[in-house]
Amino acid sequence: MGGCASHSRRFQCTSQRIQTKEFACNNGEMSSNDKDNSKTLKSHFQEVFNKKVTIDPFVLDKLTQKPIATSFDLVPSLDEVKLAVRKMKNNKAPGISGFTTDMIKNLPEEGFQILTLHIQQFWEDPDYDHEAWHKKKLALLYKGKGKTEYLNNWRGICLKETLAKILSLILAKRLLLNLGKTKAGETQFGHIGCQEPLHSLCSALILRHQCGLKTYALFVDLIKAFITIDHTLLLQVLSKYGIPPKMQRTIKMLYTNCTVQLEIGKEKCKIKYNTGVQQGDNMAPILFSYVMQAAKETLHKKLTSNKLQFRHFLDLKGKGCQNGRLSLQLNPKITKKA
């Protein structure tokens, strides 16, 4: 990508290593130098990014096959690339190459055309690839609680290549449009963040409370949900929800042979990244929503005893409480009290 590289020389970008710090090994002993720290960190994050998960290969047989959205297989256009770049936030930390969002936004027209051609070739040709798009840079962020020498009190933040993020944004938009065509668009809100869904839920609960109506709500916290998504299962879920072949293949390519690079002091180490929706990836929350919707639908079919009745909130605006519905109700006729 010579045009992009030559233009980027107008900008300056620095990449900082993780400051040397002593971390506790698995046996409780403290690392004494960069080499020991590097081994400790590699061992910890090797487990984090390669979680062993057990899946049922036949569970997706319960899902109804959605129509294939063939229009989403069209190669990304120049306008789509430009729109994705405009939506990217400025002053974001870059990946290993050092390309920043600000650099990309200041490309000349020729630079955008070259970038689009590379994205289109990656989309169309299974043998065409960019090695840098599979590498991520790992930064550590202290969670703000617990002893700093224990790695469980630190969060690993993956920094994805900015150029790969552009393709991820295009894919994310198409995934979201497809999700909106299914019932998942009415029940999955992970892609828009927590604040808006929680506000809607709280408003409904307050309204029912003011009207003297009882409400039962079930809150489930999934343990390490993002990092335990199996990639094979994920692609099968996408296929069931109508994602076309080329789009599936592009997502698979972006998630194949990925590594995380960590620098601490003068030491460097590489860690394989084989499970979970990837940190720093614009597709991650939407891909996770697809899996959660599949889990919800298969769970519905499994609960043949009908002990739980799922309903949506209806007509909560301006028509009084009598039209309000619970999102989750117990069936009193067959549900035993604890």
Side-chain angles (χ1 to χ4, degrees):
M1 302 184 71
C4 298
S6 61
H7 185 73
S8 70
R9 296 192 185 101
R10 294 171 51 194
F11 298 85
Q12 290 184 347
C13 176
T14 59
S15 177
Q16 295 182 348
R17 293 182 175 85
I18 296 173
Q19 293 181 351
T20 303
K21 181 174 181 56
E22 293 184 353
F23 292 105
C25 303
N26 292 333
N27 58 10
E29 295 182 0
M30 299 299 296
S31 302
S32 57
N33 52 53
D34 290 346
K35 188 174 182 180
D36 289 342
N37 269 328
S38 179
K39 289 181 179 179
T40 301
L41 288 163
K42 183 174 182 178
S43 175
H44 175 79
F45 285 106
Q46 185 75 33
E47 181 181 352
V48 170
F49 296 130
N50 298 277
K51 288 284 185 182
K52 293 182 179 180
V53 294
T54 303
I55 62 172
D56 181 358
F58 304 106
V59 69
L60 295 183
D61 293 339
K62 301 175 183 179
L63 284 177
T64 303
Q65 177 65 53
K66 306 297 190 296
I68 303 298
T70 53
S71 61
F72 291 149
D73 250 356
L74 297 175
V75 294
S77 65
L78 176 61
D79 289 338
E80 281 185 287
V81 172
K82 288 182 176 180
L83 179 60
V85 172
R86 284 200 300 268
K87 287 186 174 182
M88 298 175 76
K89 295 182 180 179
N90 295 326
N91 302 317
K92 287 290 185 179
I96 295 174
S97 70
F99 273 102
T100 65
T101 304
D102 307 71
M103 292 179 184
I104 305 300
K105 287 188 175 182
N106 283 277
L107 285 174
E109 182 66 21
E110 182 184 359
F112 277 107
Q113 291 174 357
I114 293 172
L115 176 58
T116 302
L117 287 174
H118 279 276
I119 289 175
Q120 290 175 343
Q121 192 167 356
F122 185 88
W123 188 282
E124 289 285 337
D125 187 356
D127 297 324
Y128 183 80
D129 200 1
H130 286 289
E131 184 180 353
W133 290 9
H134 301 276
K135 295 180 179 180
K136 304 175 196 317
K137 181 180 174 183
L138 185 66
L140 297 184
L141 179 65
Y142 178 53
K143 295 180 181 179
K145 58 181 180 180
K147 295 183 178 180
T148 57
E149 58 263 32
Y150 295 116
L151 281 171
N152 284 333
N153 298 326
W154 290 78
R155 190 181 307 279
I157 306 298
C158 288
L159 304 177
K160 189 182 180 83
E161 276 299 308
T162 306
L163 297 176
K165 280 185 178 181
I166 298 171
L167 179 55
S168 287
L169 275 167
I170 294 170
L171 287 165
K173 183 178 179 180
R174 295 188 182 189
L175 286 167
L176 194 54
L177 287 172
N178 184 71
L179 191 66
K181 295 178 181 179
T182 68
K183 290 184 178 180
E186 301 174 1
T187 59
Q188 297 298 323
F189 297 95
H191 56 281
I192 61 174
C194 299
Q195 187 172 359
E196 186 174 339
L198 285 176
H199 174 73
S200 300
L201 177 61
C202 289
S203 298
L205 292 174
I206 291 171
L207 179 59
R208 292 184 59 82
H209 177 71
Q210 291 174 344
C211 296
L213 299 174
K214 291 183 179 180
T215 304
Y216 300 90
L218 177 64
F219 297 87
V220 180
D221 185 14
L222 301 176
I223 300 175
K224 301 187 184 302
F226 263 57
I227 61 174
T228 55
I229 299 297
D230 181 81
H231 291 173
T232 301
L233 181 70
L234 171 62
L235 290 169
Q236 291 173 351
V237 168
L238 294 178
S239 179
K240 281 286 187 177
Y241 281 98
I243 299 301
K246 287 184 181 179
M247 190 171 166
Q248 283 187 53
R249 189 186 68 220
T250 303
I251 295 172
K252 181 179 180 180
M253 287 177 65
L254 288 174
Y255 270 60
T256 301
N257 297 326
C258 290
T259 58
V260 177
Q261 182 170 307
L262 175 65
E263 298 182 14
I264 181 163
K266 297 181 180 180
E267 295 292 326
K268 295 182 180 181
C269 66
K270 290 183 179 180
I271 305 166
K272 291 183 178 180
Y273 198 163
N274 291 326
T275 59
V277 291
Q278 295 179 354
Q279 294 183 15
D281 183 15
N282 302 88
M283 293 187 291
I286 306 171
L287 291 174
F288 185 74
S289 293
Y290 272 89
V291 176
M292 291 307 300
Q293 179 63 21
K296 175 180 175 293
E297 288 187 26
T298 53
L299 179 63
H300 260 296
K301 295 182 179 181
K302 188 176 181 180
L303 293 176
T304 54
S305 60
N306 194 29
K307 289 187 177 181
L308 293 177
Q309 296 178 342
F310 293 83
R311 299 180 183 175
H312 300 294
F313 292 112
L314 301 175
D315 295 330
L316 288 174
K317 295 182 179 179
K319 293 188 178 181
C321 300
Q322 67 273 15
N323 291 328
R325 293 290 185 270
L326 297 177
S327 61
L328 178 63
Q329 288 184 323
L330 294 176
N331 188 334
K333 294 182 179 180
I334 59 175
T335 302
K336 296 180 181 180
K337 293 184 179 180

